């Protein structure tokens, strides 16, 4: 389907030549089981100063389409049609000219900044390398430009950050570094593939402000790939909806999000969790199952303090006097920005990280006081879903063995019984049986997260610790996984500590909410009180930053958030003065 030219809003550069275009694009992959068709003859284009959002479920062809613009598809891909970046036909470029095009004409902001950045090189080395490879700047001039780029994307103390490694920065700071790298060679178009998936709501709002400023001030075209409809409403000028390799609907953001025409688009929008709708949305019963409060709590944290001791440096206190309780049958949502201490407390609950002082008890047992045998027995009662499936799944082990691993470790069932259980779990998280023998790299990000959830449920846990378990899932799969999650929770009454930056998901799932800031609990209570009638300024900031899937409403919310930030004395993040042109040594 070709996007009609009249769909380009005025003032978006529609009269200017497209900086990125796909004409009758087809992509097929040769596999051992035959050819797999990923993209079916689609056409669309991005103009200067315009954001085209491409949405759809995992496997719809979004990322495959974007990879053709960079010439990054594997050798088993067969490509048809025309892909142009500015005036260059990408398919006609040799390896040398492709390298020249990447960065200078088109740049990429990847989904996971931790994996997009080289962990053994400093931030400065990686920025300088890109500048020198493209002949933009050399030596001290390249270092100065690298520092200017970090400052332009809102990273404080840029000269010091140049000497740091990726793991020393927060998730939001790493994503800003990736954006700075994308800007380094003045590209005409930027492809942003899920640029805010792993970020908390306030950092996500800052990154979106940054990207919006980028396209307005530098007239950069942006191809935005996302499954977050709130992000689409906040950023997009036009929207293309992809389904099984086809573009099924296209139009302005308001046309697609407010007046969807295609059944698939309506289904996607119906699956979006709405902040304020509570547990009644998505067809889930409003009445939550009763919580058992007259027995030993599943998890009890009392006055916990956690410190990280660093060689030759002062200790870093990650959690300060934290207290909360998770009862059997209860879901407690733990929310806050990156670095607030959420994941630290999740690790304490798992017995991975002992508190410096205070207590963390699971079913009345303190991990620190148990012998190894008793610790293993207690850990059997706990399931865990980690935030980053790419890092938590062994790349050398097939999916079936990954899901069965907890059963093997705890000697549960025979090999046949474990295999049967794995197939049941694959079906529960909506993965095909064929995934049993696949490796993690053969799955999409959303599919890998589903494998993580299946592994966590393999031992029927009494306590589940879930650290951002749906962050990598598209909205429709997220909805089905959350329905499955709530059904299982109601049936088996397991307790759950649910860490998430998606406040709408927390609003749908949680009975109680705990809000953390800088290692401290600033507010906690019933979900209705904390999320619908917040008392603390910090909680209000979090709620104001959560996007909604309606362009007009989101525009009002964004203006209200900017007014709130101004009232609190904070500054809206935007692109600063980005240095242009080549520089000498």
């Amino acid at each position: 389907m070709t996007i009609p030219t009249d769909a380009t809003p005025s003032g978006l550069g529609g009269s200017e030549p497209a900086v990125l275009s796909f004409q009758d694009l087809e992509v097929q992959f040769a596999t051992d089981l035959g050819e797999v068709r990923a993209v079916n003859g689609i056409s669309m284009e991005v103009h200067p100063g315009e954001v085209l959002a491409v949405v759809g479920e995992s496997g719809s062809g979004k990322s495959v389409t974007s990879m053709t613009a960079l010439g990054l598809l594997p050798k088993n891909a067969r490509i048809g049609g025309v892909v142009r970046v500015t005036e260059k036909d990408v398919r006609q470029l040799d390896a040398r000219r492709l390298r020249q095009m990447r960065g200078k004409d088109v740049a990429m902001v990847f989904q996971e900044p931790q994996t997009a950045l080289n962990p053994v090189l400093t931030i400065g080395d990686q920025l300088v390398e890109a500048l020198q490879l493209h002949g933009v700047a050399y030596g001290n001039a390249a270092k100065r430009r690298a520092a200017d780029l970090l400052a332009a994307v809102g990273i404080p103390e840029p000269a010091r950050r140049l000497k740091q490694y990726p793991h020393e920065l927060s998730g939001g700071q790493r994503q800003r570094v990736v954006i700075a790298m994308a800007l380094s060679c003045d590209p005409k178009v930027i492809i942003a593939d899920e640029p805010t998936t792993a970020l908390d709501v306030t950092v996500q709002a800052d990154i979106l402000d940054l990207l919006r400023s980028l396209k307005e001030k530098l007239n950069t075209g942006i191809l935005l790939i996302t499954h977050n409809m709130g992000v689409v409403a906040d950023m997009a000028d036009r929207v293309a909806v992809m389904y099984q390799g086809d573009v099924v609907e296209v139009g302005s953001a308001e046309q697609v999000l407010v007046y969807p025409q295609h059944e698939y688009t309506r289904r996607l929008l119906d699956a979006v969790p709405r902040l304020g709708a509570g547990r009644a949305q998505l067809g889930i019963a409003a009445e939550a199952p009763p919580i058992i409060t007259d027995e030993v709590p599943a998890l009890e944290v009392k006055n916990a303090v956690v410190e990280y001791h660093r060689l030759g440096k002062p200790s870093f206190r990650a959690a300060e006097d934290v207290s909360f309780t998770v009862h059997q049958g209860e879901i407690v949502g733990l929310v806050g920005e990156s670095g607030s201490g959420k994941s630290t407390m999740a690790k304490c609950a798992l017995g991975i990280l002992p508190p410096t002082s205070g207590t963390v008890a699971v079913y009345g047992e303190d991990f620190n006081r148990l012998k190894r045998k008793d610790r293993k027995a207690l850990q059997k009662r706990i399931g865990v879903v980690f935030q980053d499936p790419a890092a938590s799944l062994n790349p050398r082990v097939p999916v079936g063995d990954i899901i069965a691993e907890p059963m093997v470790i705890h000697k549960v069932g025979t090999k046949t019984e474990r295999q049967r259980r794995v197939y049941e779990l694959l079906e529960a998280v909506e993965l095909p049986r064929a995934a049993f023998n696949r490796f993690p790299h053969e799955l999409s990000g959303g599919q890998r997260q589903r494998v993580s959830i299946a592994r966590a449920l393999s031992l029927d846990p009494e306590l589940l610790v879930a650290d951002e378990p749906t962050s990598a899932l598209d909205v429709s799969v997220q909805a089905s996984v959350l329905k499955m999650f709530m059904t299982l929770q109601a049936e088996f009454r397991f307790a759950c500590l649910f860490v998430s930056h998606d406040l709408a998901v927390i609003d749908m799932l949680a009975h109680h909410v705990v809000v953390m800031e800088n290692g401290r609990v600033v507010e906690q209570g019933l979900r209705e009180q904390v999320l619908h009638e917040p008392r603390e300024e910090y909680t209000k900031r979090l709620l104001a930053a959560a996007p909604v899937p309606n362009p007009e409403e989101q525009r009002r919310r964004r203006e209200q958030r900017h007014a709130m930030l101004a009232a609190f004395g904070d500054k809206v993040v935007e692109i600063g003065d980005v240095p242009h042109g080549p520089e000498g040594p």
Side-chain angles (χ1 to χ4, degrees):
M1 173 184 287
T2 301
I3 295 179
T5 54
D6 60 0
T8 304
S10 60
L12 295 177
S15 59
E16 299 181 53
V19 289
L20 174 64
S21 66
F22 306 93
Q23 297 174 11
D24 301 318
L25 177 66
E26 296 183 352
V27 181
Q28 301 178 54
F29 292 95
T31 70
D32 293 339
L33 301 177
E35 287 197 342
V36 175
R37 197 173 183 89
V39 180
N40 304 318
I42 69 169
S43 297
M44 54 186 174
E45 56 189 26
V46 181
H47 293 271
E50 176 189 37
V51 177
L52 171 66
V54 181
V55 302
E57 296 175 302
S58 297
S60 63
K62 308 186 303 295
S63 294
V64 170
T65 299
S66 69
M67 288 297 105
T68 62
L70 292 156
L72 291 177
L73 289 181
K75 292 182 179 179
N76 67 329
R78 291 178 52 195
I79 306 172
V82 179
V83 181
R84 292 187 183 276
V85 173
T86 60
E87 298 300 318
K88 300 180 178 71
D89 187 339
V90 176
R91 295 186 57 210
Q92 303 302 317
L93 301 180
D94 58 23
R96 182 181 63 84
R97 289 191 293 169
L98 272 175
R99 285 194 299 271
Q100 291 175 343
M101 180 196 71
R102 297 173 191 144
K104 296 197 76 170
D105 294 313
V106 57
M108 186 86 178
V109 177
F110 290 97
Q111 178 176 354
E112 297 171 348
Q114 182 66 30
T115 56
L117 296 172
N118 191 326
V120 299
L121 294 179
T122 65
I123 298 301
D125 287 342
Q126 295 182 63
L127 278 166
V128 167
E129 180 185 33
L131 294 169
Q132 292 181 339
L133 280 174
H134 289 286
V136 176
Y138 300 92
N140 290 331
K143 292 179 182 178
R144 289 195 301 270
R145 183 181 173 95
D148 290 341
L149 285 163
L150 292 185
V153 296
I155 293 182
E157 302 179 89
R160 183 171 70 87
R161 299 295 186 185
L162 289 176
K163 301 174 183 178
Q164 293 184 316
Y165 291 87
H167 72 272
E168 297 181 89
L169 276 62
S170 71
Q173 289 171 332
R174 285 194 293 266
Q175 192 64 291
R176 291 187 198 185
V177 169
V178 172
I179 293 174
M181 293 178 70
L183 288 174
S184 62
C185 299
D186 300 334
K188 304 296 188 298
V189 60
I190 289 179
I191 298 172
D193 190 355
E194 303 283 6
T196 63
T197 293
L199 304 179
D200 58 68
V201 287
T202 51
V203 178
Q204 172 180 271
D206 286 344
I207 294 298
L208 295 179
D209 284 338
L210 198 61
L211 290 172
R212 191 178 306 104
S213 174
L214 169 67
K215 70 117 175 178
E216 290 173 355
K217 291 188 175 182
L218 304 183
N219 203 36
T220 307
I222 298 177
L223 179 67
L224 175 67
I225 298 169
T226 184
H227 61 252
N228 188 323
M229 293 301 186
V231 170
V232 174
D234 200 20
M235 281 291 300
D237 299 305
R238 290 187 295 133
V239 182
V241 183
M242 289 192 69
Y243 177 63
Q244 294 184 352
D246 289 307
V247 173
V248 296
E249 184 166 358
V250 65
S252 69
E254 184 176 10
Q255 288 170 346
V256 174
L257 297 182
V258 182
Y259 307 104
Q261 300 299 309
H262 197 277
E263 176 60 31
Y264 176 69
T265 310
R266 289 194 288 268
R267 197 161 67 240
L268 283 180
L269 291 168
D270 289 343
V272 177
R274 258 76 171 181
L275 187 62
R279 297 177 66 89
Q281 60 187 310
L282 300 180
I284 299 168
E287 291 297 323
I291 300 167
I292 302 173
T293 57
D294 56 355
E295 296 181 2
V296 177
L299 174 64
E300 189 172 20
V301 179
K302 285 186 178 180
N303 308 116
V305 175
V306 179
E307 290 183 345
Y308 292 98
H309 300 284
R310 301 174 292 181
L311 187 63
K313 296 182 180 180
S315 298
F316 171 70
R317 184 160 287 193
E320 175 75 46
D321 195 28
V322 175
S323 298
F324 61 87
T325 302
V326 184
H327 294 285
Q328 197 64 35
E330 181 180 37
I331 300 175
V332 172
L334 190 58
V335 302
E337 294 177 297
S338 298
S340 63
K342 306 187 305 296
S343 294
T344 293
M345 297 317 302
K347 291 174 184 176
C348 287
L350 293 166
I352 297 173
L353 185 65
T356 307
S357 64
T359 60
V360 178
V362 177
Y363 295 103
E365 300 281 359
D366 189 336
F367 274 110
N368 290 336
R369 300 178 181 177
L370 295 178
K371 296 180 180 179
R372 182 176 179 180
K373 181 179 179 181
D374 295 329
R375 284 172 63 91
K376 187 175 181 180
L378 184 59
Q379 286 172 330
K380 183 181 177 181
R381 304 170 71 180
I382 307 173
V384 57
V385 182
F386 292 104
Q387 178 177 0
D388 186 355
S392 64
L393 302 180
N394 190 330
R396 300 181 183 88
V397 177
V399 164
D401 291 345
I402 288 173
I403 296 174
E405 184 180 21
M407 294 183 281
V408 173
I409 291 173
H410 292 283
K411 298 180 173 60
V412 174
T414 64
K415 184 176 180 179
T416 301
E417 290 170 338
R418 289 195 292 265
Q419 183 172 331
R420 186 184 309 118
R421 174 66 172 158
V422 170
Y423 280 128
E424 291 174 357
L425 290 165
L426 286 173
E427 183 178 352
V429 297
E430 298 187 357
L431 282 174
R433 293 171 70 93
F436 187 96
N437 293 314
R438 292 182 184 174
F439 288 85
H441 74 272
E442 298 179 278
L443 305 179
S444 69
Q447 289 171 328
R448 286 195 293 266
Q449 191 67 294
R450 282 180 256 178
V451 172
S452 297
I453 294 171
R455 178 177 60 183
L457 297 175
S458 62
L459 292 174
D460 294 323
E462 297 172 65
L463 170 65
L464 185 68
V465 178
D467 190 357
E468 304 282 7
T470 61
S471 63
L473 303 180
D474 56 68
V475 287
S476 57
V477 175
Q478 174 182 263
S480 61
V481 167
L482 291 176
K483 285 182 182 180
M484 173 202 70
F485 182 91
M486 294 186 72
T487 301
L488 291 172
Q489 199 268 340
E491 181 179 352
F492 297 105
R493 305 182 54 75
F494 58 76
C496 179
L497 179 65
F498 198 101
V499 181
S500 180
H501 63 256
D502 192 329
L503 298 180
V505 169
I506 292 294
D507 192 23
M508 187 173 73
L509 291 182
H511 302 92
H512 281 72
V513 178
V514 179
V515 183
M516 293 190 68
E517 179 189 19
N518 296 330
R520 292 180 177 271
V521 174
V522 296
E523 187 168 1
Q524 65 175 302
L526 292 172
R527 170 186 55 81
E528 296 88 344
Q529 296 171 344
V530 175
L531 296 185
H532 301 174
E533 299 176 2
R535 301 187 307 272
E536 300 297 323
E537 174 189 310
Y538 179 71
T539 310
K540 293 176 182 178
R541 286 174 182 259
L542 290 179
L543 292 167
V548 296
N550 181 297
E552 186 59 38
E553 184 182 350
Q554 178 55 28
R555 187 159 34 249
R556 287 196 300 269
R557 287 177 61 86
R558 184 170 66 245
E559 292 170 354
Q560 290 169 358
R561 173 177 175 270
H562 290 172
M564 178 188 295
L565 290 177
F568 292 152
D570 292 341
K571 185 180 178 182
V572 176
V573 178
E574 59 182 24
I575 291 290
D577 294 326
V578 180
H580 294 278
E583 298 181 38

